[in-house]
């Protein structure tokens, strides 16, 4: 019995001396965004004209581009910003800027998204920059979208969050009612976006945003897009259909790259 106890004690002592297992590393949503953004910047080459996106994920990509320029690892980059906020960020980082008038064809755009469906269609514009984003990203040869895995949905509007539509301020209620009625079969509720002071949110273009909240799938996205754009008072909507050429998704298990 003494021998058995000694063996058992030795075994327990060995276990106690084993190094403790490291707890799993849980990345924050912002850390996942940064990972996706840095991966996207690997597509950037010297001499490119770049579309610079707007939002918390795209900000990491713009920061990284600025860092690589300072290090001399990228040269002769020209950025086309999609918002005043991104323009200010790029200037602070020393990224040379231009516009679509001077560079109507863009080599590569990098931007985030609010939703991504299985066909790589996107919802964008919850940050309020959807019109300029669509103009810039519609002019690029390659559009790399960067998201964390929380942005993946079965269908656009599936998160239950806003589907933005930029509208002119004139009679915005009339336009909002038209939008809501157009998608009543999907349980649509249209709400004017407000700023932190409770005033109408104003885009960089001086317009308002009506956010559509959907309870069900709106069906054929191209039909829905056409219906929205036919409404007088609508400037643009936040569905980016068949525009992303690559989507980079950062999740707990690593990076996934989805290509068209």
């Amino acid at each position: 019995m003494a021998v058995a106890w000694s063996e058992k004690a030795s075994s327990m002592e060995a276990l106690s001396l084993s190094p403790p297992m490291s707890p799993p590393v849980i990345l924050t949503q912002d850390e996942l965004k940064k990972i996706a953004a840095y991966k996207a910047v690997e597509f950037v080459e010297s001499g490119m004209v770049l579309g610079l996106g707007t939002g918390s994920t795209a900000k990491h990509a713009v920061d990284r581009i600025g860092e690589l320029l300072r290090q001399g690892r990228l040269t002769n980059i020209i950025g086309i910003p999609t918002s005043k906020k991104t323009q200010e960020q790029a200037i602070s980082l020393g990224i040379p800027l231009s516009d679509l008038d001077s560079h109507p064809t863009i080599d590569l755009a990098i931007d985030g998204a609010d939703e991504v469906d299985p066909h790589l269609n996107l919802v964008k514009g919850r940050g309020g920059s959807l019109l300029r984003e669509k103009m810039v990203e519609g002019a690029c040869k390659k559009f790399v979208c960067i998201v964390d895995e929380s942005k993946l949905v079965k269908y656009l509007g599936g998160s239950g969050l806003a589907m933005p539509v930029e509208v002119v301020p004139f009679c915005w209620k009339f336009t909002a009612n038209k939008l809501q009625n157009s998608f009543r079969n999907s349980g649509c509720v249209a709400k004017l976006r407000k700023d932190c002071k409770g005033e109408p949110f104003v885009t960089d273009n001086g317009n308002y945003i009506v956010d559509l909240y959907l309870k069900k799938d709106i069906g054929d996205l191209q039909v829905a897009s056409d219906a929205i754009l036919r409404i007088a008072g609508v400037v643009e909507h936040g569905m980016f259909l068949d525009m992303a050429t690559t989507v980079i998704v950062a999740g707990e298990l690593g990076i996934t790259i989805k290509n068209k």
Side-chain angles (χ1 to χ4, degrees), residues 111-162:
D111 205 353
D114 302 305
E115 292 183 358
V116 181
D117 78 3
H119 305 290
L120 307 191
N121 295 309
L122 317 174
V123 169
K124 291 177 51 56
R126 289 182 190 152
S129 302
L130 61 104
L131 176 58
R132 296 190 187 192
E133 288 173 337
K134 190 169 282 190
M135 290 177 69
V136 170
E137 287 146 20
C140 64
K141 298 175 184 176
K142 186 176 183 66
F143 172 24
V144 178
C145 178
I146 46 179
V147 295
D148 66 88
E149 61 188 354
S150 71
K151 302 300 192 298
L152 302 181
V153 295
K154 292 181 179 178
Y155 60 88
L156 294 193
S159 68
L161 301 175

Side-chain angles (χ1 to χ4, degrees), residues 123-252:
V123 169
K124 291 177 51 56
R126 289 182 190 152
S129 302
L130 61 104
L131 176 58
R132 296 190 187 192
E133 288 173 337
K134 190 169 282 190
M135 290 177 69
V136 170
E137 287 146 20
C140 64
K141 298 175 184 176
K142 186 176 183 66
F143 172 24
V144 178
C145 178
I146 46 179
V147 295
D148 66 88
E149 61 188 354
S150 71
K151 302 300 192 298
L152 302 181
V153 295
K154 292 181 179 178
Y155 60 88
L156 294 193
S159 68
L161 301 175
M163 173 93 72
V165 180
E166 188 160 343
V167 304
V168 297
F170 175 74
C171 294
W172 67 264
K173 291 181 182 178
F174 170 84
T175 308
N177 287 334
K178 286 274 192 179
L179 288 165
Q180 183 166 298
N181 290 335
S182 294
F183 300 102
R184 59 183 178 275
N185 291 337
S186 299
C188 178
V189 175
K191 296 182 179 180
L192 180 70
R193 186 178 298 185
K194 302 287 185 69
D195 63 19
C196 59
K197 298 179 181 178
E199 298 296 323
F201 175 89
V202 179
T203 70
D204 286 347
N205 316 298
N207 295 316
Y208 290 173
I209 288 183
V210 172
D211 287 321
L212 307 183
Y213 296 89
L214 305 164
K215 294 182 180 178
K216 294 188 291 185
D217 190 341
I218 58 175
D220 188 308
L221 296 177
Q222 194 58 60
V223 171
S225 170
D226 293 344
I228 292 172
L229 295 175
R230 280 199 301 268
I231 296 173
V234 167
V235 178
E236 188 53 86
H237 60 70
M239 290 187 290
F240 284 51
L241 307 181
D242 199 30
M243 291 181 64
T245 53
T246 300
V247 174
I248 298 175
V249 184
E252 292 182 0

